Amino acid sequence: MQSIEKIYKIRLPFFLILFICILSRPALSFAEWNVSAGSAFYYTNDAALFSATRRLSRNQDPTQPVIDGKLAKQGKDMVYEPTAKIVKSFSLLDRPTELAVRGQGFVFADNSRFNHGALGVHANHNLSSTTKLILRYFFGPNLLIGKNEVRPIEETAEEQPLLKNEIVTTNFWSAGIAQQIPGMDDARLILFGRYGLRNYDKPFKQRDTQFWTLGTHVEWSPTETVGLALGYHYERGLADGRKQPELKDDVSYNNHFVTGELGIEMTKNIALEMALHYEFNGWTTNIQDDERNGQHENVIQGDIVVRYHVNQTFQMTAGYQEAFRKESFEEGLNNRSIWVGAKLVF
């Protein structure tokens, strides 16, 4: 465990140093910088579910930390999202390469305890004219899930369960190969895997989870104005709670995630994007009296986004997103979000 904590302390500086070193190497042939900044304003009907809903997509982090039903229903809120992205394109080993760093934040108007941010590093390198290597790192620190019951349940003088903030930090590393499908210049197959850690603050350390994912995506543009993407992920998560039967809180799981996305350029300036996602979490605990023993969770979510390209540097967006999630031993939870946003590319 100490070795994992050491890695956790050095990983962010390491990736920043690596980024600086790559950009400063004289052997590289630099082409151009690309900088973009954006912001969006959301209305959501449940502040506690908002972050999990926003990241449920094939290129984000669909297998979010476990959200117990009693932590949801925290009320409506307005959320502000600032984003910034820096992209550097250059030639490495005489092949096109792209390195990007993206920062993102969520600021809640009424439920400020849910404020959080994330950092992503993404790299693409063309191994050949038809094959691309993809590398990615994601860092999401100190995300508040909500106030949860401490295990084992400690009773106060009023015999009420002791509640503490449940906070998690997520890290994952992923690598993939994107291959153009032979005979189809407008289609490619992506195979990837990832490894990640979800580390919880005390007193929820039994939920610390190591996870690994195997996935495949197909991206196809049958016409110049239509794009289609399909994806499937299998993920296995192992939580420390499986070795602590006295706590009866093993959140280990097998996850199946299926997604479909459709993009249509309706006019030269207006694009419509639609997506449908489904995931199944099968809890794998065999601890007697653990509420997840023999249970599962279903999540289904739909997204629709309209993008208006005012010009080459300015874009406006509007979207709607709705998700329904249900653990087999709890009532279902619903989250709806509506937003408008803008993006500026320099």
Side-chain angles (χ1 to χ4, degrees), residues 193-206:
R194 72 170 186 167
Y195 170 78
L197 300 170
R198 302 199 196 277
N199 295 320
Y200 289 75
D201 285 1
K202 292 182 178 180
F204 298 98
K205 298 297 289 182
Q206 75 275 5

Side-chain angles (χ1 to χ4, degrees), residues 31-42:
E32 61 177 307
W33 288 91
N34 182 285
V35 180
S36 62
S39 61
F41 292 90
Y42 298 81

Side-chain angles (χ1 to χ4, degrees), residues 111-154:
N111 297 272
S112 59
R113 63 189 184 278
F114 288 110
N115 293 353
H116 65 282
L119 176 70
V121 180
H122 188 100
N124 296 324
H125 176 68
N126 285 35
L127 299 175
S128 71
S129 60
T130 59
T131 306
K132 181 178 293 187
L133 173 66
I134 302 171
L135 300 174
R136 186 183 178 200
Y137 166 69
F138 174 84
F139 175 55
N142 301 322
L143 172 65
L144 173 66
I145 306 298
K147 284 189 176 294
N148 209 346
E149 298 177 5
V150 175
R151 311 262 185 132
I153 303 300
E154 300 180 17

Side-chain angles (χ1 to χ4, degrees), residues 65-276:
V66 173
I67 302 176
D68 296 319
K70 54 183 170 290
L71 303 183
K73 300 180 181 179
Q74 295 300 304
K76 305 172 183 178
D77 210 337
M78 299 294 295
V79 185
Y80 170 60
E81 178 197 21
T83 60
K85 185 176 181 179
I86 302 174
V87 181
K88 182 62 181 179
S89 300
F90 53 92
S91 177
L92 178 63
L93 303 176
D94 295 324
R95 292 290 183 181
T97 304
E98 184 178 274
L99 184 62
V101 177
R102 182 176 186 268
Q104 176 188 41
F106 289 116
V107 181
F108 291 72
D110 296 325
N111 297 272
S112 59
R113 63 189 184 278
F114 288 110
N115 293 353
H116 65 282
L119 176 70
V121 180
H122 188 100
N124 296 324
H125 176 68
N126 285 35
L127 299 175
S128 71
S129 60
T130 59
T131 306
K132 181 178 293 187
L133 173 66
I134 302 171
L135 300 174
R136 186 183 178 200
Y137 166 69
F138 174 84
F139 175 55
N142 301 322
L143 172 65
L144 173 66
I145 306 298
K147 284 189 176 294
N148 209 346
E149 298 177 5
V150 175
R151 311 262 185 132
I153 303 300
E154 300 180 17
E155 306 294 339
T156 65
E158 292 79 17
E159 297 185 352
Q160 295 295 319
L162 180 63
L163 300 178
K164 293 286 187 179
N165 284 338
E166 183 181 347
I167 298 173
V168 62
T169 292
T170 296
N171 290 266
F172 68 77
W173 300 260
S174 66
I177 294 290
Q179 176 65 51
Q180 179 182 313
I181 298 176
M184 300 178 66
D185 295 341
D186 50 13
R188 68 174 185 167
L189 175 68
I190 302 172
L191 302 176
F192 81 98
R194 72 170 186 167
Y195 170 78
L197 300 170
R198 302 199 196 277
N199 295 320
Y200 289 75
D201 285 1
K202 292 182 178 180
F204 298 98
K205 298 297 289 182
Q206 75 275 5
R207 292 194 166 192
D208 282 2
T209 302
Q210 300 183 49
F211 59 91
W212 56 265
T213 311
L214 294 175
T216 180
H217 301 163
V218 176
E219 298 176 348
W220 179 41
S221 299
T223 72
E224 293 183 356
T225 60
V226 176
L228 177 66
L230 302 174
Y232 168 76
H233 301 179
Y234 170 78
E235 183 167 300
R236 178 64 167 136
L238 295 174
D240 288 355
R242 72 189 190 281
K243 301 177 181 178
Q244 299 170 287
E246 69 279 3
L247 298 182
K248 302 175 183 178
D249 189 33
D250 177 12
V251 296
S252 301
Y253 61 88
N254 287 317
N255 176 275
H256 300 274
F257 173 71
V258 181
T259 181
E261 303 171 12
L262 176 65
I264 303 173
E265 291 185 17
M266 304 181 68
T267 70
K268 181 180 179 181
N269 301 98
I270 299 176
L272 175 67
E273 299 174 4
M274 297 174 287
L276 184 64

